[in-house]
Amino acid sequence: MFGRDRRGTPADLLVIGLGNPGAEYEGTRHNVGADTVALLASRHGSVLGKSREKAIACEVHIGGKRVALAFPQTYYNDSGQAARLLVNRYGIEAAEQVVVVHDELDLPVGKLKVKQGGGLAGNNGLRSIKACLKTDEFLRVRIGVEKPVNALKGADHVLKRPSKKEREELDVVVQEAADAVEVIATDGVERAMERFNRRT
């Protein structure tokens, strides 16, 4: 699966921010992963642009590492289609070189967790990536959006835009998620977990 189609110098890390394409989904809870990769591109002097891999993508350098950033345009639940193409495009050789940034219902708003492998917690985007990459050992940066307190289903909850107060909290945690990706790139996932998973 990994490293089949190297074109140019392989990337050291592939960061995939989950979300749905289209203006109607901008600013929703489901798109915080996409917001993170867009922020990372901006921080490092680039912008996400059209690619052949069913995504918008770019390459940046973080601490001397080549990092590919991508936002799949396949819709959230089919993100694996783009992930498979991106892995091949950027010559990724191991699941540990893939970082998926996504919203997480099981974490409170404003909470961030870095994780390697493990369960999917009902996240269809992660399920699609696991199916297409044939592994669940990729890294995750999980951004809490909290489960709804009323009868609203989780799917409806994540597709809605948050309140102003919640939006402010999410904007802060998106910045922290970008920080976490940078630490993964420069110092490794263990260091990122030590730094970010202990925050209250």
Side-chain angles (χ1 to χ4, degrees), residues 32-44:
V32 290
D35 294 341
T36 302
V37 293
L39 173 61
L40 280 163
S42 176
R43 276 188 185 182
H44 296 278

Side-chain angles (χ1 to χ4, degrees), residues 56-71:
I56 53 174
C58 68
E59 285 187 61
V60 300
H61 286 84
I62 300 176
K65 300 290 181 67
R66 292 176 67 95
V67 178
L69 305 171
F71 169 21

Side-chain angles (χ1 to χ4, degrees), residues 85-135:
L85 295 171
L86 289 160
V87 159
N88 289 338
R89 166 66 179 86
Y90 292 105
I92 300 300
E93 297 183 335
E96 294 79 8
Q97 291 175 270
V98 179
V99 181
V100 180
V101 188
H102 65 93
D103 54 301
E104 178 59 71
L105 286 167
D106 289 336
L107 290 176
V109 175
K111 186 72 173 176
L112 174 75
K113 285 242 177 184
V114 179
K115 182 180 179 184
Q116 179 172 357
L120 307 177
N123 186 304
N124 290 326
L126 297 182
R127 183 177 288 113
S128 175
I129 292 173
K130 178 183 177 181
C132 290
L133 299 188
K134 312 299 184 189
T135 180

Side-chain angles (χ1 to χ4, degrees), residues 149-162:
V149 294
N150 55 28
L152 198 66
K153 293 181 179 178
D156 295 328
H157 176 69
V158 294
L159 290 173
K160 291 186 178 296
R161 290 180 176 85

